[in-house]
Structures are given as structure tokens and as C-alpha cells.
Amino acid sequence: MTTTVQLRDDFPVLSREIRPGVPLVYLDSTATAQKPTQVLRAMDEYYRKYNANIHRGVHTLAEEATAMYESARQRIAGFIHAAHPREVIYTRNTTESINLVAQTWGRKYLQEGDVVILTEMEHHSNLVPWQMLAAEKHLRLEFIPVRDDYLLDLDAYQELLSLKPRLVAFTHMSNVLGTINPAEEIIRLAHAAGALTLVDGAQSVPHFKVDVQALDADFLAFSAHKMCGPTGIGALYGKQALLEAMPPFLGGGDMIRKVYLRSFTPNELPHKFEAGTPAVAEAVGFGAAVDYLSQVGMDLIAAHEHEVTAYALERLSEIPGLRIFGPDLPHKGGVVSFTMNGVHPHDVAQILDQNGVAVRAGHHCAMPLHDKFGITATTRASFYLYTTFEDVDRLAKGLDDVIRLFG
Ligand code: C6P
């Protein structure tokens, strides 16, 4: 992307040196993305000029803070093309969004023996909440297998659908393999079988255009911190009729309409699911992040990441003893996980860090997926709108050092 070099100036941390003379190469955006000045400034300005609690006060600051919080919701709703802002619930992150659905919709509507379909490539955030619910309600969890080409086995999925599942919950893009799953098809088939769908959008919403109405997704979970926004805030999209039919999640202030000593009536959407003082400054930052991404253009971001990933696959394929876990380029986002013969992934990451290259090593919160491949860990490089070809060259050079050191 010709604009990459210019937009890198928006990200103060990218000009940091890890040690004197060793500039940072940040290849861990799948864990969390870096933040542009536009987001930092919006949050700073909020605290300097507006800070107040929202939905409570009638004073000017409270009204302005409330307007900023709700305006951010409106822009986030627009970003995913929700039909209405009330379909966007602020949560802490993707993890909390999925737990919200499990603990409210799942607890109310799932019964003993009901089937929930997940996939073998899920992050723990889309496994453990369902395991917890399954243990409590005696549900049956089934898994769409991952094939040898790192794509989901859609034939096996079709067979699983004959079990008449109540829910199909799947990741839109794997944080380990980079596999971009055919969400529209998975959702269409689920609906035809009478199931609802939950899309884990933690890795898709930040990286390419996600349109909840085009997908016909029932729920979509995502986190601000992976899309240039702050930590501590995320969102759950849900179709209005579903959210209205769900009981509240946490109880407390703001989520109620009327409280008596022994009972309460819940507030309307979206406040029904937002108990207590929310992360107001973070919502402002979240709004600034979607403005920023929209301004750059999601199609441009996706195209840029595609080019960087293609280049990375080419460069890494030249390195002996390196095995990449993930599908071919057409099905792959900007994530490259790999092992190196005879070198532990943590050692690889440590040597890369000495070269200023930040990558993640470990199971990436996807232990069952690593188990499937008979490994415990991989080293993972991940890319975003600010990643350059030079960053990939520095990665390749660092890996040459690993080979030199470990023979
Ligand atoms: N993956 C990674 O390094 P939270 O932590 O709630 O913001 O996001 C959870 C989550 C859910 N689904 C997917 C596909 C994810 O990638 C993540 C977060 C990070 O891969 C941190 S473990």
C-alpha cells in the first residue's frame, strides 16, 4: 500500500527503538494492534474536556459524555453495517461478548441434549464458555474438523447439521492458521438447519469488511484493541429480536428501568446489557478507531495485508527447516504461524526479540488446534495496515540468526 509509509507516522510506538540502534518491528497485531495518534488524542481530549458519568447526570459534561459514548456506538454499528445502534452492546472484549451469549441466550434457551457446533480451530474464548454451559446443561458439543489443507471440512459440517444443532459458533478467521472461513456459507447452511449463528470476529472485523446484514449473522463478537482501539472495550452485535428475547447478563445500575426491593424490570436495548459505569473513554477511543480504519479504507487494508502475507510466505519458504501452519494464500489473512526444526518456538521468539522483532510464541489460546497437529507451540508473526515489506525482511533476517545460532 503506497500510503503505509505515511500512515506509520500515525503510530508513535512504531518509531521506538527496542535497544539503542535496534528499531522495533511489531509483528504481533493479532494479539493486539498498535494505536494511532487519532485514537490516543480522542481519549486524552475526552478526559481533559468532558469526563463525566453517563446516562445519569443532567449537567452539561454528563450530557456531552453521554452523547460521545452513544455517537461512538452509532459509528461502530455503521462499521459492521448493523441495522440499528441498539444492536451493538458494549462489552469488555470478544471473550465477554461470547460469554454474554452463552450465559443469557444459552442458559435460557438451550436444554439437555441440545447440540452446539463449534470448530477445531476455535480460540479458547469460543470453546470454554460453551464447555462451561455444556457441563451445566448437559449439552452436546460437536466440532467441524480442520482438514490437512487447514480449511474447515464443510462436508463433515453438512453431516453434523443433520443433528439439528441449536447454534453454530465459529471463528471468522483463525488467530493461528490465518484461515478465513466462508462465513456466509456456514451461516446459510446453519439457518437452513434451524440453528442460530455466532461469529467470532476478533480477527476478521479489524482486517476486512464485515457486514452483519450481508452475512445474516445472528451474533458477532469483536474487540476494540485488535482494531487500533483501546483495551478494555469490545462489542457484541446481535439481531434486535434475539437481544430483546434474552435475559440481562450482569445486574446493577443502568441496566434497569425500575427496581423494587425484591424485583426489577430491565432497561431497553442496548442498556439492558450494560450494567454499571461503562468504559466511556474507551468507547470514545473505539469510535475514533473505526473512524480511522474507515478513513484508510477496509478494502485497502485487506489488500495490503494480502500483499505482505504473500511476500512473507515467499521469504519464509526460503528458510530451511521451517514449517508453516496455514492454508494457501487465497484463504489466508495476515497471520503466519510456524515451527523450526529442532528449535523451541519460545527460543525463536527470544532471538527475534533481540533483533527488535516482536512475535508471539506459544499455543495462542488454541491448545486443541495445536494438539491436532501434534505440537505444543508455534511462533507467530502477524501483520496489519502498518506492516511493511522491510518488516518481513527483518523477520527473515532474524530467522537466519536463529539458524546460525542453533545450527
Ligand atoms: N487472540 C491472540 O494473540 P479478547 O482477548 O477477548 O480480546 O479476544 C479473544 C479472542 C477471540 N477469538 C480470537 C479468534 C482471537 O484471536 C482472540 C484473541 C489473541 O491470538 C490473544 S489470545
Coordinates of all heavy atoms in Angstrom, one line a residue, residues 4 7-17 23-26 34 386-387 391:
T4 N 1.2 3.2 3.3 CA 1.7 2.6 4.5 C 2.7 3.4 5.2 O 2.7 3.6 6.4 CB 2.2 1.2 4.2 OG1 1.3 0.4 3.6 CG2 2.6 0.5 5.5
L7 N 1.2 6.4 6.8 CA 0.4 6.2 8.0 C 1.1 5.6 9.2 O 0.7 5.7 10.3 CB -0.9 5.3 7.6 CG -0.8 3.9 7.2 CD1 -0.6 3.0 8.4 CD2 -2.1 3.5 6.6
R8 N 2.3 5.1 8.9 CA 3.1 4.6 10.1 C 3.4 5.8 11.0 O 3.6 5.5 12.2 CB 4.4 4.0 9.5 CG 4.3 2.5 9.1 CD 5.6 2.0 8.5 NE 6.6 1.8 9.5 CZ 6.7 0.7 10.3 NH1 5.9 -0.3 10.1 NH2 7.7 0.6 11.1
D9 N 3.5 7.0 10.5 CA 3.7 8.1 11.3 C 2.6 8.4 12.3 O 2.8 9.0 13.3 CB 3.9 9.4 10.5 CG 5.2 9.4 9.7 OD1 6.1 8.5 10.0 OD2 5.3 10.1 8.7
D10 N 1.4 7.8 12.0 CA 0.3 7.9 13.0 C 0.5 7.1 14.2 O -0.2 7.3 15.2 CB -1.0 7.5 12.3 CG -1.4 8.4 11.2 OD1 -1.0 9.6 11.2 OD2 -2.2 7.9 10.3
F11 N 1.4 6.1 14.2 CA 1.6 5.2 15.3 C 2.9 5.5 16.0 O 4.0 5.0 15.6 CB 1.6 3.7 14.8 CG 0.3 3.3 14.2 CD1 -0.1 3.7 12.9 CD2 -0.7 2.6 14.9 CE1 -1.3 3.4 12.3 CE2 -1.9 2.3 14.4 CZ -2.2 2.7 13.1
P12 N 2.8 6.2 17.1 CA 4.1 6.7 17.8 C 5.0 5.5 18.2 O 6.2 5.6 18.0 CB 3.6 7.4 19.0 CG 2.2 7.7 18.8 CD 1.6 6.7 17.8
V13 N 4.4 4.4 18.6 CA 5.3 3.3 19.1 C 6.2 2.7 18.0 O 7.2 2.1 18.3 CB 4.4 2.2 19.8 CG1 3.7 1.3 18.8 CG2 5.3 1.4 20.8
L14 N 5.7 2.8 16.7 CA 6.5 2.2 15.6 C 7.8 2.9 15.4 O 8.7 2.3 14.7 CB 5.6 2.2 14.4 CG 4.3 1.3 14.4 CD1 3.6 1.4 13.1 CD2 4.7 -0.1 14.8
S15 N 8.0 4.1 16.0 CA 9.3 4.7 15.8 C 10.2 4.4 17.0 O 11.3 5.0 17.1 CB 9.1 6.2 15.6 OG 8.4 6.8 16.7
R16 N 9.8 3.5 17.8 CA 10.6 3.2 19.0 C 11.8 2.3 18.7 O 11.7 1.5 17.8 CB 9.7 2.5 20.0 CG 10.2 2.5 21.4 CD 9.5 1.7 22.4 NE 10.6 1.0 23.1 CZ 10.4 0.2 24.2 NH1 9.1 0.0 24.6 NH2 11.4 -0.3 24.8
E17 N 12.9 2.5 19.4 CA 14.0 1.6 19.3 C 13.9 0.6 20.5 O 13.7 1.1 21.7 CB 15.3 2.3 19.3 CG 15.5 3.1 18.0 CD 17.0 3.6 17.9 OE1 17.7 3.7 18.9 OE2 17.3 3.9 16.7
P23 N 15.6 -0.7 15.9 CA 14.2 -0.3 15.8 C 13.2 -1.4 15.9 O 13.5 -2.6 15.5 CB 14.1 0.3 14.4 CG 15.4 0.1 13.7 CD 16.4 -0.6 14.6
L24 N 12.1 -1.1 16.5 CA 11.0 -2.1 16.7 C 10.4 -2.5 15.4 O 10.1 -1.7 14.5 CB 9.9 -1.5 17.6 CG 8.6 -2.2 17.6 CD1 8.8 -3.6 18.4 CD2 7.5 -1.4 18.3
V25 N 10.2 -3.8 15.2 CA 9.4 -4.4 14.1 C 8.3 -5.1 14.8 O 8.5 -6.1 15.5 CB 10.2 -5.4 13.3 CG1 9.3 -6.1 12.3 CG2 11.3 -4.6 12.5
Y26 N 7.1 -4.5 14.7 CA 5.9 -5.1 15.5 C 5.2 -6.1 14.7 O 4.4 -5.7 13.8 CB 5.0 -4.0 16.0 CG 4.0 -4.5 17.0 CD1 4.3 -4.8 18.3 CD2 2.7 -4.6 16.5 CE1 3.3 -5.4 19.1 CE2 1.7 -5.1 17.4 CZ 2.0 -5.5 18.7 OH 1.1 -6.0 19.5
Q34 N -1.4 -1.8 17.4 CA -0.9 -0.6 17.9 C -2.0 0.5 17.7 O -2.9 0.3 17.0 CB 0.4 -0.2 17.3 CG 1.5 -1.2 17.7 CD 1.8 -1.3 19.2 OE1 1.3 -0.4 19.9 NE2 2.5 -2.3 19.6
Y386 N 0.0 -1.3 9.1 CA 1.3 -0.5 9.2 C 2.5 -1.4 8.9 O 3.6 -1.0 9.0 CB 1.4 0.1 10.5 CG 0.9 -0.7 11.7 CD1 1.5 -1.9 12.0 CD2 -0.2 -0.3 12.4 CE1 1.0 -2.7 13.1 CE2 -0.7 -1.1 13.5 CZ -0.1 -2.3 13.8 OH -0.6 -3.1 14.8
T387 N 2.2 -2.7 8.6 CA 3.4 -3.6 8.4 C 4.0 -3.4 7.0 O 3.2 -3.2 6.0 CB 2.9 -5.1 8.5 OG1 2.1 -5.2 9.7 CG2 4.1 -6.0 8.5
D391 N 9.7 -4.9 7.2 CA 9.4 -5.6 8.5 C 9.6 -7.1 8.2 O 10.2 -7.8 9.1 CB 8.0 -5.4 9.0 CG 7.8 -3.9 9.5 OD1 8.8 -3.2 9.8 OD2 6.6 -3.5 9.6

